[in-house]
Every structure is written in structure tokens, then in C-alpha cells.
Amino acid sequence: MNRPTGADRQPGADRRIAVRTAIVAAVVGIAFGFLLTASGLGDYYTIHNGLLLRDPYMYLMIGSAMATAFVGLLVLRRARGTWLGGRLTLPRNRVQRRHFYGGAVFGVGFGLGATCPGMTVAMVATGGLYGLVVLVGLLFGLWLRGRVEQRSTPATPEPTRRRLAETAARDA
């Protein structure tokens, strides 16, 4: 399912796609947030007990999420497109040293804070002050990383520009 481009597009098609994308994103976000909090994964003690290996619940939830994602990706590959009309393209990037560093930082933060970004938002949404503290730290860390990256690299690295151009040409 390829999206029409240029002269093939009907007037207003980009706007309709943007509105459809926003609606789907909102519905998925609401469902994800509801299910995340309903499952108990927004509770500090659920995560804490899982990390201490006292309760397998968290790992069973992660396993079921991975199985669901696997089935969803198979369905999308066979459909050759998404509901929003775009092709399914999965990035195939080489593993780099920075990925290991990022994973280690995430793991340490997850272990010390007993929460990850999605669970942090769930904690805040259900009135958890602890989640708010973690969220402020998370946002500060993201801001800080952005500042460091801006100073150390050009605006758009050449491999990224090349990948963007290849993706645009392929989707055209």
C-alpha cells in the first residue's frame, strides 16, 4: 500500500492523513495508559518486587507484550501497509557502542528508580508523587542529552541525511 505523492495526491490528503494519524495515536495512547495502570505496572511496589525477583508478574507482562508485538509485526508485514496508508519499514541499524551505554543507563535508572518512562507517566497520572520526581529527572536528562549532542555534532549527521533521502525515495 503506497501513499500517493506529488501530483497524484488529492487536495487535502496530507491533512487527512495527519488527522487520521493523530486520532489513531490518541486512541492507542489512551488504551496503553489505561491498560498500563489497570495492570498495576504504575505501582512502585509491583516494579520493586519484580526487580527483587519476588514476583514474576512484571516479567510475565513484558513477555506478553513482546508476544503481542511479534504477532502485530507479522500481521503488518503480510498486510504490506499500515492502517494509515504507509509502508511498514523497520530500521536495521548496526549495533553501536552508544547503544550499550544507553542500555546500561536505562537499566541502572530502571533498577534504582523501579520505573521506566511509560510506568513513570502512569505513576504521575494516578497521583504518584514519586513518579513526578522521576519524570522531572527524566525530562532534565533528555534536555541535557540534547544540549550535549547539539554541541558535539552537526545539525543532521550525513548518515541520517542519506537514510532520510533513501526512505523518501523508496516511499515516493
Side-chain angles (χ1 to χ4, degrees):
M1 215 189 301
N2 289 332
R3 275 194 281 189
T5 59
D8 299 335
R9 275 199 189 137
Q10 297 174 1
D14 288 338
R15 181 163 166 69
R16 283 193 298 271
I17 290 171
V19 168
R20 195 177 347 160
T21 301
I23 291 170
V24 170
V27 169
V28 168
I30 290 168
F32 180 72
F34 178 82
L35 293 172
L36 192 64
T37 55
S39 71
L41 291 177
D43 180 40
Y44 170 83
Y45 294 104
T46 302
I47 306 306
H48 182 75
N49 287 331
L51 292 174
L52 293 175
L53 303 177
R54 292 180 184 156
D55 187 2
Y57 180 73
M58 179 178 71
Y59 300 104
L60 294 171
M61 289 295 293
I62 291 170
S64 68
M66 291 173 63
T68 303
F70 178 75
V71 170
L73 287 172
L74 285 177
V75 168
L76 285 174
R77 276 194 175 163
R78 292 212 172 137
R80 301 198 186 277
T82 67
W83 290 347
L84 302 173
R87 283 179 35 174
L88 175 67
T89 55
L90 299 175
R92 301 198 185 268
N93 300 325
R94 291 181 181 207
V95 176
Q96 298 174 5
R97 183 178 298 160
R98 65 190 178 101
H99 298 134
F100 290 103
Y101 294 150
V105 169
F106 181 86
V108 168
F110 189 60
L112 292 175
T115 184
C116 75
M119 295 170 193
T120 298
V121 173
M123 284 181 188
V124 172
T126 56
L129 179 61
Y130 177 72
L132 185 60
V133 171
V134 174
L135 183 62
V136 168
L138 188 124
L139 292 173
F140 178 73
L142 289 170
W143 174 83
L144 183 62
R145 175 63 186 135
R147 295 290 295 181
V148 167
E149 192 170 328
Q150 280 178 351
R151 291 181 181 182
S152 64
T153 61
T156 306
E158 185 56 37
T160 303
R161 280 192 213 128
R162 192 172 32 247
R163 257 195 323 265
L164 289 172
E166 290 168 359
T167 302
R170 186 177 56 235
D171 288 345

